[in-house]
Amino acid sequence: MDINQLVDKNQAIKIVPSIEESLNNIGLDTDIDERTLIWLNQLKLKWKTWKKSPATDHHFDIFFQFTPDPYRVALVCIIKCEEFKDSKPRTLPYYILETLSKWSQSSGLLPEETLKLPAFQIAIQQRNILFLNLLIKTYQLFTIKETILPVVKNMLKNDNCKQASQIVVAMELFDEIPVEDLLFPLILQDKANMIDEYLSECPNQVRPLLLFLDNMLDKKFNIRDFTQKYIDENKVCNVKYEKIHYKPLGKLVARLCNKFNIPIETCENLSKNRTRGGLRYLIHQKYVQHNVSSSVWDDLVKDSLRNNTECVYEFIDMLIEYDIKEALKWATYFEMPEISLPLALRNVSIEQVPAEEENWEKLDNVTQKYFKLPLPESSIKIIDTGETFYDLVSNLKNCSIVSIDCEWKPSFGATQSQVALIQIASYDCIYLIDTLVLNNKQYSSFWYRFNKSLLDNAEIIKLGFGLEQDLKEIKSSISGLSNIKVKGEGLLDLGLLWKRLINFGLSLPSDSDSGGNSLSSLVQACFGLPLEKAEQCSNWELRPLRTTQLHYAALDAFVLLEIYYYLQKLCVEQKINFDDICNDVMLERKLKSVKKITVADRLQACTLDFKPKSSKDVKIIVEHELSHLLAYFRYCGIDTIVVSSSKLWHDTVNLAILENRFILTAKLKCSPTARFAQNLILDLSQGNIKDQVQNTFSNYNIVVTRSDLLSRCLHCNFTDLKKLTSGEVIDICNLYNMPSNTNTNNKRYASDNEEEDPYYDNFLSDSDGDDIYLCQPVTSQNKSCVTSMGALIDISNVQKLSTSFKTACLCESCGKLFWDEDPLIISVHELISSIIQFSD
């Protein structure tokens, strides 16, 4: 057939040479004589019948007797096998090479230098790493490293990092090819498994990679610019751009440190970033959430900054926005020189700072009621000696059910905290095991007995909340418990049991909510009162423990027993098979039951058709994980707020009921009360941003008109927007650029409403302190450039705006100025326009 008939006259034709032609071009004679060809065909027949056997081995012995150049002929025979492209250990090509390798060791004959490059080309034409390694060893390719290096570097340029890494490991090219050149493209493509495989093969490359990545975590280093330049120069494709900033890279560094047992404190920048993130979270918890007591606050600030004095200045800078007196206190404590203090603290003493008008801690204790420990204080037993530990195990042997919890210092920097306290509760006593004292080799026999008598004893049910995670922490921290099981028979997680019972139709008290995911939420669902969490963030490594810490730790363990028996009682009343469900949760089985009410059933039962609604008549709450949707909905004129990640689910529902809002959730949850229908909750865990916005509009039948666009501030959600003419814009830009006449520190951080900031990280859950958003200062060059409501005006790219002669829109409430070349407005408008077709 004429090849011209297969292609268009304007199409280019690329002729790919066969493997034989390619090898001939680099010096390998791929011709074999008739005798060898007959021998190869007979070998193929015997292989199909016998595979690797004495018969095939004997047939191969003849090969070495009549073949003068076995190294060359073996290569030719390999490429003539059907399985050549995937030469696994049980294929004929691998058998030929394996037999040749054994013969070379016994004969002492070496391959010719001219065969080595063709042998390497054959190795990289197939996909099996074992074949590659064996061929490199058999043909001694280590002697042609200089020839192979350009090939490997070309693989990296052509985005073939996997094969390049295999060759680097097999030929030990670590010094010639830096680890960052090899693995950074894989990091950009988020190929974690390939990175782990490479580093497992050559663990001495872990530290150089960590040093490279940790240097990128320096806040002065521009990750975006560096990676974009690297991508362009090396033509890296399939890049996961969402991975190119401080937080994902920080998590990667932390994971690699943990996997390869590298002390995480050796990563200097990661340590600083984590400390920053923890301090930012701690400030938020104290001054916004009011969840941190003064004693906990003092302990954690001292502990986190003791070995990280470079973060003191940033801490003071963040704190001054909330509490000048407290900022001055810590500046004095850490002996900051006056010249380094923020302007607001210079030449000021603590006595000159006015006292706070109200103490939230006292107010909170008066108005808020919490679930209390029903046992007397004498029931709390401290276990900190060998004798009391021995008695503890003896006492627990007779129990049929106990609860377990543990506490550790928040991971408030680079060093990973160890379990400091293990709580074991029976129904009349609570034991607090001081692991700081007892986690010692001299007590290893006690821990062994503790495991065998309690943890590994399936006849004693161990209750927990997030039990698997607690046991993993215990397993990694206690030297005598490194082999304990973390789930299975005898280990019952009440968090999992709770969800399973809800799905089986369990109704909790109607006057309490059950939609949260925390232990405090479950306690409130059962008993109408939450747990007090003021000591949750305590430094559990300080001794002696405060009385409030002892009560908190004891209650956290004992309340699990209270919940267990309460749920058991409710199940009896509501005719639900409690024991079977408990067993299924422990054994991770799904019970087959016609009575089971699935989430899908609930959704189907309450699905309603919504009548068309104007965007201005719709109100929405989005969960913290969906905060990236705020700008899109607000741009369409929809009143949209975000809830903090620490807010309980039932509080979110109550707010939605109070303000008549829909809820958008990142994970499907069931409505906790009859007052809030399930169809008012929309799960947006799937799809990209466009899908999420489109699903919201279609699900709630929201109608958006062109006049609705930019009728609400994308930053603060208020509707106090003022349309500015081009002349007014120029006047504001000129005023904005004028130098300020005040010495007041103008800096403010990127979200005045921290409740709505989507970048808060809970340092209790391995926060990486992603400061890329929060710690970029927003500055106004002129303090007098304010709105009619007194808000500092914030303009992006003021130079470009001042010469554009464009109109703009100013939010009087927060000072944010929007115009049609604002990057945020451009991206939001493009997405909304792709979803909604506006009529002209």
Side-chain angles (χ1 to χ4, degrees), residues 755-817:
E755 182 76 11
E756 290 194 357
D757 201 301
Y759 300 103
Y760 272 105
D761 271 325
N762 186 337
F763 61 85
L764 292 174
S765 55
D766 201 29
S767 166
D768 288 314
D770 178 16
D771 291 351
I772 187 170
Y773 300 99
L774 275 181
C775 288
Q776 286 185 345
V778 178
T779 59
S780 174
Q781 291 174 279
N782 190 340
K783 188 72 175 180
S784 62
C785 186
V786 297
T787 69
S788 61
M789 298 175 68
L792 274 175
I793 294 179
D794 177 16
I795 306 175
S796 62
N797 203 341
V798 64
Q799 288 78 14
K800 185 175 181 180
L801 175 61
S802 62
T803 59
S804 67
F805 301 101
K806 298 273 189 178
T807 60
C809 194
L810 176 67
C811 178
E812 300 277 15
S813 295
C814 71
K816 187 67 178 175
L817 187 142

Coordinates of all heavy atoms in Angstrom, one line a residue, residues 755-817:
E755 N -12.2 35.2 61.5 CA -13.2 34.1 61.5 C -13.4 33.6 60.1 O -13.7 32.4 59.9 CB -14.5 34.6 62.1 CG -15.6 33.5 62.2 CD -15.3 32.6 63.3 OE1 -14.5 32.9 64.2 OE2 -16.0 31.5 63.4
E756 N -13.2 34.5 59.1 CA -13.5 34.1 57.8 C -12.2 33.8 57.0 O -12.3 33.4 55.9 CB -14.2 35.3 57.0 CG -15.6 35.5 57.5 CD -16.3 36.4 56.5 OE1 -15.8 36.9 55.5 OE2 -17.5 36.6 56.7
D757 N -11.0 33.9 57.7 CA -9.8 33.6 56.9 C -9.7 32.1 56.7 O -9.7 31.3 57.7 CB -8.6 34.1 57.7 CG -7.4 34.3 56.8 OD1 -7.0 33.3 56.2 OD2 -7.0 35.4 56.7
P758 N -9.5 31.7 55.5 CA -9.5 30.2 55.2 C -8.1 29.6 55.4 O -8.0 28.4 55.2 CB -9.8 30.2 53.7 CG -9.3 31.5 53.1 CD -9.5 32.5 54.2
Y759 N -7.1 30.3 56.0 CA -5.8 29.7 56.0 C -5.4 29.5 57.5 O -4.2 29.3 57.7 CB -4.8 30.6 55.3 CG -5.2 30.7 53.8 CD1 -5.8 31.9 53.4 CD2 -5.0 29.7 53.0 CE1 -6.2 32.0 52.1 CE2 -5.4 29.8 51.7 CZ -6.0 30.9 51.2 OH -6.4 31.0 49.9
Y760 N -6.3 29.5 58.4 CA -5.9 29.1 59.8 C -5.6 27.6 59.8 O -6.4 26.8 59.3 CB -7.0 29.5 60.8 CG -6.9 30.9 61.2 CD1 -7.7 31.9 60.8 CD2 -5.9 31.2 62.1 CE1 -7.6 33.2 61.2 CE2 -5.7 32.5 62.6 CZ -6.6 33.5 62.1 OH -6.4 34.8 62.5
D761 N -4.6 27.2 60.5 CA -4.2 25.8 60.7 C -4.2 25.5 62.2 O -3.7 26.3 63.0 CB -2.8 25.5 60.1 CG -2.9 25.1 58.7 OD1 -3.9 24.5 58.3 OD2 -2.0 25.5 57.9
N762 N -4.8 24.4 62.6 CA -4.8 24.0 63.9 C -3.5 23.3 64.2 O -3.2 22.2 63.7 CB -6.0 23.0 64.2 CG -6.1 22.6 65.6 OD1 -5.1 22.7 66.4 ND2 -7.3 22.2 66.0
F763 N -2.6 23.9 65.0 CA -1.3 23.3 65.3 C -1.4 22.0 66.0 O -0.5 21.2 66.0 CB -0.4 24.3 66.0 CG -0.9 24.6 67.4 CD1 -0.6 23.8 68.5 CD2 -1.6 25.8 67.6 CE1 -1.1 24.1 69.8 CE2 -2.1 26.1 68.9 CZ -1.8 25.3 70.0
L764 N -2.6 21.7 66.5 CA -2.8 20.3 67.2 C -2.8 19.2 66.1 O -2.5 18.1 66.4 CB -4.1 20.3 67.9 CG -4.1 21.2 69.2 CD1 -5.5 21.1 69.8 CD2 -3.1 20.7 70.2
S765 N -3.1 19.6 64.9 CA -3.2 18.6 63.8 C -2.1 18.8 62.8 O -2.3 19.0 61.6 CB -4.6 18.6 63.1 OG -4.9 19.9 62.7
D766 N -0.9 19.0 63.3 CA 0.3 19.1 62.4 C 0.3 20.2 61.5 O 0.5 20.1 60.3 CB 0.4 17.7 61.6 CG 1.9 17.5 61.2 OD1 2.8 18.0 61.8 OD2 2.0 16.9 60.1
S767 N 0.1 21.4 62.1 CA 0.0 22.6 61.3 C 1.4 22.9 60.7 O 2.4 22.8 61.4 CB -0.4 23.8 62.1 OG -0.2 25.0 61.5
D768 N 1.4 23.4 59.5 CA 2.7 23.7 58.8 C 2.9 25.2 58.9 O 3.9 25.7 58.3 CB 2.8 23.2 57.4 CG 2.9 21.7 57.4 OD1 3.8 21.2 58.1 OD2 2.2 21.1 56.6
G769 N 2.0 26.0 59.4 CA 2.2 27.4 59.5 C 2.3 28.1 58.2 O 3.3 28.7 57.9
D770 N 1.3 27.9 57.4 CA 1.4 28.5 56.0 C 1.1 30.0 56.1 O 0.0 30.5 56.1 CB 0.3 27.8 55.1 CG 0.3 28.4 53.7 OD1 1.3 29.1 53.4 OD2 -0.7 28.2 53.0
D771 N 2.2 30.8 56.1 CA 2.1 32.2 56.3 C 1.9 32.9 55.0 O 1.9 34.2 54.9 CB 3.3 32.8 57.0 CG 3.4 32.3 58.4 OD1 2.4 31.8 58.9 OD2 4.4 32.6 59.1
I772 N 1.9 32.3 53.9 CA 1.9 32.9 52.6 C 0.8 33.9 52.4 O 0.9 34.9 51.7 CB 2.0 31.9 51.4 CG1 2.2 32.6 50.1 CG2 0.7 31.1 51.4 CD1 2.5 31.6 49.0
Y773 N -0.3 33.6 53.0 CA -1.5 34.5 52.9 C -1.6 35.5 54.1 O -1.7 36.7 54.0 CB -2.8 33.7 52.7 CG -2.7 32.8 51.5 CD1 -2.4 31.5 51.7 CD2 -3.0 33.3 50.3 CE1 -2.4 30.7 50.6 CE2 -2.9 32.5 49.2 CZ -2.6 31.2 49.3 OH -2.6 30.4 48.2
L774 N -1.6 34.9 55.3 CA -1.9 35.7 56.5 C -0.8 36.8 56.7 O -1.0 37.8 57.2 CB -2.0 34.8 57.7 CG -3.4 34.3 57.9 CD1 -3.4 33.4 59.2 CD2 -4.5 35.3 58.0
C775 N 0.5 36.4 56.4 CA 1.5 37.3 56.8 C 2.1 38.1 55.7 O 3.2 38.6 55.8 CB 2.7 36.4 57.5 SG 2.2 35.9 59.1
Q776 N 1.3 38.3 54.7 CA 1.7 39.3 53.7 C 1.0 40.6 54.1 O -0.2 40.7 54.1 CB 1.2 38.9 52.3 CG 2.0 37.8 51.7 CD 1.5 37.5 50.3 OE1 0.5 37.9 49.9 NE2 2.3 36.8 49.6
P777 N 1.8 41.6 54.5 CA 1.2 42.8 55.0 C 0.5 43.6 53.9 O 0.9 43.7 52.8 CB 2.4 43.6 55.5 CG 3.6 43.1 54.8 CD 3.2 41.6 54.5
V778 N -0.7 44.1 54.3 CA -1.4 45.0 53.4 C -1.2 46.4 53.9 O -1.5 46.8 55.0 CB -2.9 44.7 53.4 CG1 -3.7 45.6 52.5 CG2 -3.2 43.2 53.0
T779 N -0.6 47.2 53.1 CA -0.2 48.6 53.5 C -0.9 49.6 52.7 O -1.1 49.5 51.5 CB 1.3 48.7 53.5 OG1 1.7 48.6 52.1 CG2 2.0 47.8 54.4
S780 N -1.2 50.7 53.3 CA -1.7 51.9 52.6 C -0.6 52.9 52.8 O -0.1 53.2 53.9 CB -3.0 52.4 53.2 OG -3.3 53.6 52.6
Q781 N -0.2 53.5 51.7 CA 0.8 54.5 51.7 C 0.4 55.8 52.4 O 1.3 56.6 52.7 CB 1.4 54.8 50.3 CG 2.1 53.6 49.7 CD 2.4 53.8 48.3 OE1 1.6 53.6 47.4 NE2 3.7 54.1 48.0
N782 N -0.9 56.0 52.6 CA -1.3 57.2 53.2 C -2.4 56.9 54.2 O -3.5 56.4 53.8 CB -1.8 58.2 52.1 CG -2.1 59.6 52.7 OD1 -2.2 59.7 53.9 ND2 -2.2 60.6 51.9
K783 N -2.2 57.1 55.5 CA -3.1 56.8 56.5 C -4.4 57.6 56.4 O -5.5 57.2 56.8 CB -2.5 57.1 57.9 CG -3.3 56.7 59.1 CD -3.2 55.2 59.2 CE -3.9 54.7 60.5 NZ -3.9 53.3 60.7
S784 N -4.4 58.8 55.7 CA -5.6 59.6 55.5 C -6.4 59.1 54.3 O -7.5 59.7 54.1 CB -5.2 61.0 55.4 OG -4.4 61.2 54.2
C785 N -5.9 58.1 53.6 CA -6.7 57.6 52.4 C -7.7 56.6 52.9 O -7.4 55.4 52.9 CB -5.7 57.0 51.4 SG -6.5 56.6 49.9
V786 N -8.8 57.1 53.4 CA -9.8 56.2 54.0 C -11.2 56.5 53.3 O -11.4 57.5 52.7 CB -10.0 56.5 55.5 CG1 -8.6 56.1 56.2 CG2 -10.3 57.9 55.8
T787 N -12.1 55.5 53.6 CA -13.5 55.7 53.1 C -14.3 56.6 54.0 O -13.8 57.0 55.1 CB -14.2 54.3 53.0 OG1 -14.4 53.8 54.3 CG2 -13.3 53.3 52.2
S788 N -15.6 56.8 53.7 CA -16.4 57.6 54.5 C -16.7 57.0 55.8 O -17.1 57.7 56.8 CB -17.7 57.9 53.8 OG -18.4 56.7 53.5
M789 N -16.5 55.7 55.9 CA -16.7 54.9 57.2 C -15.4 54.7 57.9 O -15.4 54.0 58.9 CB -17.4 53.6 56.9 CG -18.8 53.8 56.2 SD -19.5 52.2 55.7 CE -19.9 51.5 57.3
G790 N -14.3 55.3 57.5 CA -13.0 55.3 58.2 C -12.2 54.1 57.9 O -11.2 53.9 58.6
A791 N -12.5 53.3 56.9 CA -11.7 52.1 56.5 C -10.5 52.5 55.6 O -10.7 53.3 54.7 CB -12.5 51.1 55.9
L792 N -9.3 52.0 55.9 CA -8.2 52.2 55.0 C -8.4 51.7 53.6 O -8.8 50.5 53.5 CB -6.9 51.5 55.6 CG -6.1 52.2 56.7 CD1 -5.0 51.3 57.2 CD2 -5.5 53.5 56.1
I793 N -8.2 52.5 52.6 CA -8.4 52.0 51.3 C -7.3 51.1 50.8 O -6.1 51.4 51.0 CB -8.6 53.3 50.3 CG1 -9.9 54.0 50.7 CG2 -8.6 52.8 48.9 CD1 -10.1 55.3 49.9
D794 N -7.7 50.0 50.2 CA -6.7 49.0 49.7 C -6.8 48.9 48.2 O -7.9 48.4 47.7 CB -7.0 47.7 50.4 CG -6.1 46.6 50.0 OD1 -5.1 46.9 49.3 OD2 -6.4 45.4 50.2
I795 N -5.7 49.2 47.5 CA -5.8 49.2 46.0 C -4.7 48.2 45.5 O -3.5 48.4 45.9 CB -5.5 50.6 45.4 CG1 -6.5 51.6 46.0 CG2 -5.6 50.5 43.9 CD1 -6.3 53.0 45.5
S796 N -5.0 47.3 44.6 CA -4.0 46.5 44.0 C -3.6 47.1 42.7 O -4.4 47.5 41.9 CB -4.6 45.1 43.7 OG -5.7 45.2 42.8
N797 N -2.2 47.2 42.6 CA -1.6 47.8 41.4 C -2.1 49.2 41.1 O -2.7 49.6 40.1 CB -1.9 47.0 40.2 CG -0.8 47.2 39.1 OD1 -0.2 48.2 39.0 ND2 -0.7 46.2 38.1
V798 N -1.8 50.1 42.1 CA -2.3 51.5 42.0 C -1.7 52.3 40.9 O -2.4 53.1 40.3 CB -2.0 52.2 43.4 CG1 -0.6 52.3 43.6 CG2 -2.7 53.6 43.4
Q799 N -0.5 51.9 40.5 CA 0.2 52.6 39.4 C -0.6 52.4 38.1 O -0.9 53.3 37.3 CB 1.6 52.2 39.2 CG 2.6 52.7 40.3 CD 2.4 52.0 41.6 OE1 1.8 50.9 41.6 NE2 3.0 52.5 42.7
K800 N -1.0 51.1 37.8 CA -1.7 50.8 36.6 C -3.1 51.4 36.6 O -3.6 51.9 35.6 CB -1.8 49.3 36.5 CG -2.4 48.8 35.2 CD -2.3 47.3 35.1 CE -2.9 46.8 33.7 NZ -2.9 45.3 33.6
L801 N -3.7 51.4 37.8 CA -5.1 51.9 37.9 C -5.1 53.4 37.6 O -6.0 53.9 36.9 CB -5.7 51.6 39.2 CG -7.1 52.2 39.5 CD1 -8.1 51.7 38.5 CD2 -7.5 51.9 41.0
S802 N -4.1 54.1 38.1 CA -4.1 55.6 38.0 C -3.9 56.1 36.6 O -4.3 57.2 36.3 CB -3.0 56.1 38.9 OG -1.7 55.7 38.5
T803 N -3.4 55.2 35.7 CA -3.2 55.6 34.3 C -4.2 54.9 33.4 O -4.0 55.1 32.2 CB -1.7 55.3 33.9 OG1 -1.5 53.9 34.1 CG2 -0.7 56.0 34.7
S804 N -5.1 54.2 33.9 CA -6.0 53.4 33.1 C -7.3 54.2 32.7 O -8.0 53.8 31.7 CB -6.4 52.1 33.8 OG -7.2 52.4 34.9
F805 N -7.6 55.2 33.4 CA -8.8 56.0 33.2 C -10.1 55.1 33.3 O -11.0 55.2 32.5 CB -8.8 56.7 31.9 CG -7.7 57.7 31.8 CD1 -6.5 57.4 31.1 CD2 -7.7 59.0 32.4 CE1 -5.5 58.3 31.0 CE2 -6.7 59.8 32.3 CZ -5.5 59.5 31.6
K806 N -10.0 54.2 34.2 CA -11.1 53.2 34.4 C -12.0 53.7 35.6 O -11.6 54.4 36.5 CB -10.6 51.8 34.8 CG -9.7 51.2 33.7 CD -10.6 50.4 32.7 CE -9.7 49.6 31.7 NZ -10.5 48.9 30.8
T807 N -13.3 53.2 35.5 CA -14.1 53.4 36.7 C -13.8 52.3 37.7 O -13.1 51.3 37.4 CB -15.6 53.3 36.3 OG1 -15.8 52.0 35.7 CG2 -16.0 54.4 35.3
A808 N -14.3 52.4 38.9 CA -14.1 51.3 39.9 C -15.2 51.3 40.9 O -16.2 52.1 40.8 CB -12.7 51.6 40.6
C809 N -15.1 50.4 41.8 CA -16.1 50.2 42.9 C -15.4 50.1 44.2 O -14.5 49.3 44.4 CB -16.9 48.9 42.5 SG -18.4 48.7 43.5
L810 N -15.8 50.9 45.2 CA -15.1 51.0 46.5 C -16.1 50.5 47.6 O -17.2 50.9 47.6 CB -14.7 52.4 46.7 CG -14.1 52.7 48.1 CD1 -12.7 51.9 48.2 CD2 -13.9 54.2 48.3
C811 N -15.6 49.6 48.4 CA -16.4 49.1 49.6 C -16.1 50.1 50.7 O -15.0 50.2 51.2 CB -16.0 47.7 50.0 SG -16.8 47.1 51.4
E812 N -17.2 50.8 51.1 CA -17.0 51.8 52.2 C -16.7 51.1 53.5 O -16.1 51.7 54.4 CB -18.3 52.6 52.3 CG -18.7 53.4 51.1 CD -17.9 54.7 51.0 OE1 -16.9 54.9 51.8 OE2 -18.3 55.6 50.2
S813 N -17.1 49.8 53.7 CA -17.0 49.1 55.0 C -15.5 48.7 55.2 O -15.0 48.9 56.3 CB -17.9 47.9 55.0 OG -19.2 48.3 55.0
C814 N -14.9 48.1 54.2 CA -13.5 47.5 54.5 C -12.5 48.3 53.7 O -11.3 48.0 53.9 CB -13.5 46.0 54.1 SG -13.6 45.7 52.4
G815 N -12.8 49.1 52.7 CA -11.8 49.9 52.0 C -11.3 49.2 50.7 O -10.4 49.7 50.1
K816 N -11.8 48.0 50.4 CA -11.3 47.3 49.2 C -11.8 48.0 48.0 O -13.0 48.2 47.9 CB -11.7 45.8 49.3 CG -11.1 45.0 48.2 CD -9.6 44.8 48.3 CE -9.0 43.9 47.3 NZ -7.5 43.8 47.4
L817 N -10.9 48.2 47.0 CA -11.3 48.9 45.8 C -11.2 47.8 44.6 O -10.1 47.2 44.5 CB -10.4 50.1 45.5 CG -10.8 50.9 44.3 CD1 -10.6 52.4 44.6 CD2 -10.0 50.5 43.0

